[in-house]
Amino acid sequence: MVAVVLLANAAAAVIGPNIPRQSGTEERAYVKADQIYGRSGPTDVAIFGSSETAGGLIPDEIESQAPALDGVYNAALPGSSLGLMEDWADRVVDPQLHPKIAIIGMLPISVIAVDPEIDPSGGSQAALDAYESAIDQINSGTFGPLSWTLRQRSALIRYRPLLRSPSATWAGIKATVTGDEPDDGSGPGKMDFRTETNPLRVKENTAPDGEILDDRDQSIPLDTDPIAGALYRKFAEYPTDLDSLESFVDSLRSQGITPVIAIGPVDRTVLEASDADLPHFDAIADEVQAWGEANGVPVHSSFGETWDPALFHDRNHLAEAGARRWSQEVGTWLDGLCEQGDISDC
């Protein structure tokens, strides 16, 4: 029986990578799980959040401003939620990286009780369900703490969902024999995580330190963005709910990890010209800061600042230059917290 399993695993290792497949939102979780598992050396800081954080906080820039911290990895997943981040951290990121500090990156819209079918970060309930399915495959819990290690080391477990399809398996065998590439040949390039189906492009748009490269290009010049303005007015109708944030913070602390919160900027110039209800979200940012002060969680907020529209990819996402600025500011802030003794894990 052992020999049969070993043979099957060896065959899966050869055939599995060559099985043609299409990816979905969950592909980023698989890519980052592989990166996390393959990291060497310490990772003092893990970054969590949705798309504004996944592309907005660059680990190298943070490290350059916080020399006391050794190693930063961006584990944020576009289209996720704080609740999803808690599960992702607990089951995948923290057991492997053992970070000392967790940066929870967010915007005020991250803590509104929005309709479950509409995610203000750009995702949807379908994206959250896809991520949960991926986490279940990465760390099923079947073998306790070993589940996640087994998935990374066992090709049979890793490719099991694909090998269940006889046609997919046969296509993989043919590709292995002929040397055909499993992807559609389109290669790396610009992508939208909500619609991308090429796993190669997802991988190529994810830097080794976890930063996503989807939003690096600058927004086209705009005076107004009526759609963004309307969305902000709509989201202002929903109540604020800090329960998921509080639960995530408690979960991190239970594992000995120090949580901090970084609230990112938005393109206020264009949003204000689009009649977005920014004062409502300014109040939410203030509420998060007050909650942080009351609960001993450091909070850094850039939300109330007006940044040049040229620093943005769109109204909620930073382009490369903006991401470097936000990352440097967060790194400088962390360095100050370390020097002042507000963070004891530096």
Side-chain angles (χ1 to χ4, degrees), residues 287-304:
E287 185 176 350
V288 172
Q289 286 191 299
W291 179 90
E293 291 176 7
N295 291 274
V297 181
V299 178
H300 178 276
S301 180
S302 301
F303 186 76

Side-chain angles (χ1 to χ4, degrees), residues 100-187:
K100 297 177 180 178
I101 299 166
I103 300 175
I104 302 174
M106 57 178 288
L107 294 175
I109 55 178
S110 303
V111 290
I112 60 174
V114 72
D115 185 323
E117 291 301 318
I118 305 173
D119 184 334
S121 63
S124 66
Q125 187 60 45
L128 298 178
D129 292 342
Y131 277 135
E132 286 292 357
S133 177
I135 292 172
D136 285 341
Q137 291 188 42
I138 295 166
N139 186 357
S140 65
T142 304
F143 301 100
L146 293 176
S147 296
W148 144 216
T149 300
L150 286 173
R151 186 263 177 186
Q152 295 302 123
R153 293 189 176 182
S154 170
L156 194 58
I157 295 175
R158 172 188 285 265
Y159 297 112
R160 179 177 55 187
L162 300 175
L163 293 167
R164 285 173 176 163
S165 168
S167 60
T169 302
W170 177 242
I173 292 172
K174 288 196 296 182
T176 301
V177 172
T178 62
D180 292 339
E181 293 293 329
D183 63 87
D184 64 6
S186 58

Side-chain angles (χ1 to χ4, degrees), residues 236-265:
E237 298 174 4
Y238 294 100
T240 304
D241 184 358
L242 299 182
D243 288 350
S244 293
L245 178 62
E246 183 174 0
S247 177
F248 190 15
V249 165
D250 289 344
S251 176
L252 291 167
R253 282 176 164 168
S254 71
Q255 300 176 67
I257 301 169
T258 300
V260 300
I261 298 171
I263 307 176

